[in-house]
Amino acid sequence: MGFREHASRVRRIVGIVLAVLLIGGVAVAVVAGRDSKDTSTATKTVRGVIGSEKAEFFADPEVVKALAAKGFTVKAETSGSWAMDQLPLKDYDFAFPGSKAPADELQRRSSVKGGPIRPFYSPLVVVAHRGAAQVLADNGLATLSGKSSGKLLMAPYLKAAKADRTWQQLKGAGKHAELTGTVFITSTDPVASNSGALYLAAASYVADGGRVAADEAAVDRTAPLMKKLIQVQGAQQTSSDAPFRDFISGVGNPLVLVYESQVASLLLQKQEPGDLVVLYPDTTVSSDHTLVPLTDSGRQFGELLSTDRRLRELAVRHGFRPQGAAAEFTAATAGHTDYIDQQLTGIRQAPVPTATVLRAMARRTRG
């Protein structure tokens, strides 16, 4: 064999060896990379049912990212808080209604040790257009602390509702063509929705002389007025989101019951509030967003929502007040105190009846 032939053969052998080594090296790199990827991005998927007022929070890409960084992927479906007990909860890791009463009811169906978890809360408020708020104040149904906030005086308001007062009967309303018909607050359906049910809790408490409804006799005492508050509205939504969006766009009723979080979120995300005025009922109810763990993974997720600083920060950005972290909400809303009453000054919290009593009260509004 000549020199050139030998050299060529050697080169071919070396080439084959290098190719084998290269292929082996790539294979190892791919396996290592795949293993590394699985380790660094592995997440635990938890499925839950949530009140619709939290849908934007869970859909926020920053929230999704923050949860993934802690090892969680959340698949959330919305439902009226008071309708969650009708769902097949065996398919969920957690249920997250908007208040304690339905959560307590759901907790009885959970076998997971430990009670419900309350990561954040939000008081109920009434949003009004500036003209409507001024007319209410001029007629002793509200007080204003500036152009954009004040208090709704519940006792005078309920007295007006009982008497079927119209806007035309209120002095100054004639200057505002949009203020016609019966004076009422748009709320959600109390049979299915949290904010609507809590509206009845606060209104019945005031109407019954500061007593929380505890039995059928208490429900009977306030039933005619509660029925009037609901039936004057006509068709109702099961979520406060649609009425609030209608209000902001300038359509619908001039007085709408919403969560403070909806207003705070609008302001913190620098959206235009228009002529919005926030009226805090002088007797109100805070919506304690309460997570009921249905599996151990659901409990781990709920505890994360309560303890993780980044997730609390994002909850505040969506207008919620973190439990036990008032300073975080205060700092975030410091530039919006013309709308937001950070300390809830002079506002009385009404106790909420049990789920059984509140359901009975809601059903009585239907007939």
Side-chain angles (χ1 to χ4, degrees):
M1 181 185 296
F3 175 80
R4 292 187 177 181
E5 257 181 84
H6 179 73
S8 176
R9 188 175 178 184
V10 169
R11 280 197 299 271
R12 284 197 302 272
I13 293 170
V14 171
I16 291 169
V17 171
L18 288 174
V20 169
L21 290 173
L22 181 59
I23 291 170
V26 170
V28 171
V30 170
V31 171
R34 187 177 295 146
D35 288 346
S36 174
K37 182 177 180 182
D38 285 347
T39 300
S40 62
T41 63
T43 58
K44 181 182 297 183
T45 298
V46 289
R47 185 181 176 206
V49 57
I50 63 173
S52 58
E53 69 285 339
K54 294 181 282 290
E56 287 191 5
F57 171 74
F58 281 106
D60 185 337
E62 290 298 315
V63 173
V64 173
K65 181 180 177 182
L67 287 169
K70 296 296 182 178
F72 282 93
T73 296
V74 178
K75 292 186 177 180
E77 303 168 22
T78 60
S79 166
S81 292
W82 290 85
M84 288 182 184
D85 65 328
Q86 304 300 315
L87 298 173
L89 295 180
K90 63 182 178 61
D91 297 328
Y92 298 100
D93 294 291
F94 66 91
F96 203 175
S99 63
K100 181 178 181 294
D104 287 345
E105 197 168 68
L106 291 165
Q107 179 65 33
R108 286 192 284 272
R109 297 170 57 185
S110 174
S111 60
V112 179
K113 292 182 180 180
I117 300 167
R118 300 180 181 89
F120 41 73
Y121 67 99
S122 182
L124 290 174
V125 299
V126 173
V127 290
H129 294 296
R130 188 162 292 130
Q134 189 62 58
V135 170
L136 292 179
D138 291 344
N139 288 270
L141 304 181
T143 60
L144 298 180
S145 53
K147 286 186 177 181
S148 302
S149 66
K151 287 188 176 67
L152 178 72
L153 306 180
M154 284 293 286
Y157 167 73
L158 292 176
K159 183 179 179 180
K162 187 175 183 178
D164 297 315
R165 292 188 75 178
T166 65
W167 286 104
Q168 291 92 324
Q169 293 172 326
L170 301 182
K171 65 181 180 182
K175 300 176 185 177
H176 308 280
E178 73 279 8
L179 299 181
T180 61
T182 305
V183 178
F184 69 89
I185 295 169
T186 291
S187 68
T188 54
D189 180 357
V191 173
S193 171
N194 183 63
S195 58
L198 294 184
Y199 178 40
L200 294 184
S204 65
Y205 179 78
V206 174
D208 204 21
R211 288 180 290 181
V212 60
D215 52 28
E216 188 174 345
V219 173
D220 288 342
R221 285 195 296 271
T222 61
L225 178 56
M226 298 304 102
K227 182 176 180 180
K228 184 169 286 191
L229 293 177
I230 299 304
Q231 294 202 348
V232 71
Q233 300 180 44
Q236 290 180 291
Q237 302 275 354
T238 57
S239 165
S240 59
D241 184 60
F244 183 60
R245 290 183 185 278
D246 286 346
F247 176 89
I248 293 298
S249 65
V251 300
N253 193 43
L255 303 175
V256 181
L257 183 82
V258 300
Y259 297 104
E260 179 197 58
S261 59
Q262 292 171 281
V263 176
S265 176
L266 183 87
L267 299 170
L268 291 169
Q269 296 179 42
K270 303 187 186 306
Q271 298 179 45
E272 177 52 52
D275 67 345
L276 177 147
V277 176
V278 184
L279 298 176
Y280 286 80
D282 59 359
T283 300
T284 191
V285 174
S286 283
S287 179
D288 289 319
H289 296 281
T290 306
L291 187 145
V292 178
L294 303 174
T295 65
D296 290 337
S297 293
R299 172 161 293 283
Q300 292 169 18
F301 166 68
E303 291 172 348
L304 181 67
L305 282 180
S306 295
T307 59
D308 185 77
R309 186 174 183 83
R310 176 58 177 160
L311 287 169
R312 288 203 313 270
E313 178 185 304
L314 290 168
V316 169
R317 192 171 78 178
H318 284 270
F320 299 110
R321 294 176 180 245
Q323 292 281 9
E328 295 176 21
F329 181 84
T330 300
T333 58
H336 303 290
T337 53
D338 46 346
Y339 293 94
I340 302 297
D341 185 344
Q342 295 178 316
Q343 307 304 321
L344 301 178
T345 308
I347 294 171
R348 187 179 187 184
Q349 287 287 324
V352 178
T354 65
T356 300
V357 170
L358 203 48
R359 283 183 187 278
M361 192 180 294
R363 285 194 297 269
R364 290 286 290 276
T365 67
R366 295 302 182 208

